[in-house]
């Protein structure tokens, strides 16, 4: 494992070279591009993410979506309200636990979810036009490695 202090020296920190800053700016760039494409479908990139996540079958409650997207419960509720008003999702009480509301895509929501991968793919293709297939594969490998790295919460406490 690389020594954190050697790899990211605190005295030489510059926002433009910060890995976190670069990751966030990249995410914002892609989100803006997706927002432009999804405007014709009258949804935002955040709402599109929810539609895709529900479509995947791995998520079925607002709490699960909030945890995965790192969005507060009030924001998730507002987005779900908008998607429900548009007829893209349906809220259903859980038969096992009255406190839980399950979320399901409507027929219209499923139709939209089927279109989203191509729309997102077109955005990615335009934004990665200057990258080779090998560079994209390497980027994905590095991001997966980063996401798989488990760091205890107290690991950064001694860094000053």
């Amino acid at each position: 494992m690389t020594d954190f202090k050697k790899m990211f020296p605190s005295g030489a920190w510059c926002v433009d070279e910060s890995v976190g800053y670069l990751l966030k700016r990249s995410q914002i760039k892609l989100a803006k591009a997706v927002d432009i494409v999804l405007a014709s479908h009258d949804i935002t990139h955040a709402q599109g993410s929810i539609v895709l996540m529900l479509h995947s079958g791995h998520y079925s409650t607002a709490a699960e979506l909030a945890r995965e997207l790192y969005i507060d419960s009030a924001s998730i509720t507002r987005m779900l309200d908008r998607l429900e008003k548009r007829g893209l999702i349906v809220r259903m009480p859980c038969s096992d636990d009255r406190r839980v509301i399950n979320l399901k895509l409507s027929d219209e929501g499923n139709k939209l979810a089927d279109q989203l991968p191509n729309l997102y793919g077109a955005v990615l293709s335009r934004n990665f036009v200057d990258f080779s297939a090998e560079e994209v594969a390497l980027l994905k490998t590095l991001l997966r490695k980063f996401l798989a790295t488990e760091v205890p919460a107290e690991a950064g406490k001694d860094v000053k």
Side-chain angles (χ1 to χ4, degrees):
M1 185 182 296
T2 306
D3 182 14
F4 176 81
K5 289 182 181 181
K6 287 181 185 174
M7 196 148 77
F8 299 103
S10 62
W13 189 82
C14 172
V15 71
D16 294 338
E17 294 301 316
S18 164
V19 173
Y21 174 79
L22 293 169
L23 286 169
K24 186 62 179 176
R25 291 293 306 145
S26 299
Q27 187 271 331
I28 290 168
K29 177 183 179 175
L30 290 174
K32 285 179 178 180
V34 169
D35 274 339
I36 291 167
V37 170
L38 294 183
S40 64
H41 295 277
D42 197 29
I43 64 168
T44 65
H45 77 278
Q47 293 167 342
S49 296
I50 289 172
V51 169
L52 282 175
M53 292 174 75
L54 290 173
H55 191 66
S56 76
H58 299 296
Y59 308 92
S60 62
T61 67
E64 291 170 343
L65 293 168
R67 273 191 300 275
E68 184 65 19
L69 294 171
Y70 199 61
I71 297 173
D72 64 87
S73 60
S75 295
I76 281 287
T77 300
R78 283 191 302 275
M79 282 191 273
L80 292 173
D81 288 345
R82 288 183 193 118
L83 291 171
E84 185 178 39
K85 186 175 180 178
R86 289 265 337 276
L88 298 174
I89 66 163
V90 178
R91 288 179 164 122
M92 304 171 310
C94 177
S95 59
D96 298 336
D97 187 342
R98 294 181 342 185
R99 299 168 296 176
V100 176
I101 302 295
N102 287 315
L103 305 168
K104 180 182 167 197
L105 291 177
S106 65
D107 289 342
E108 187 178 341
N110 277 309
K111 286 177 191 171
L112 176 62
D114 288 338
Q115 295 175 46
L116 291 179
N118 288 335
L119 297 172
Y120 280 55
V123 168
L124 289 172
S125 292
R126 281 194 305 278
N127 280 275
F128 283 90
V129 69
D130 291 334
F131 287 68
S132 69
E134 294 79 16
E135 288 172 323
V136 172
L138 177 59
L139 177 60
K140 288 167 56 175
T141 298
L142 293 172
L143 291 171
R144 284 187 194 106
K145 181 177 181 178
F146 174 75
L147 292 170
T149 303
E150 294 292 329
V151 180
E154 61 276 351
K157 284 186 180 178
D158 62 345
V159 177
K160 294 181 182 182

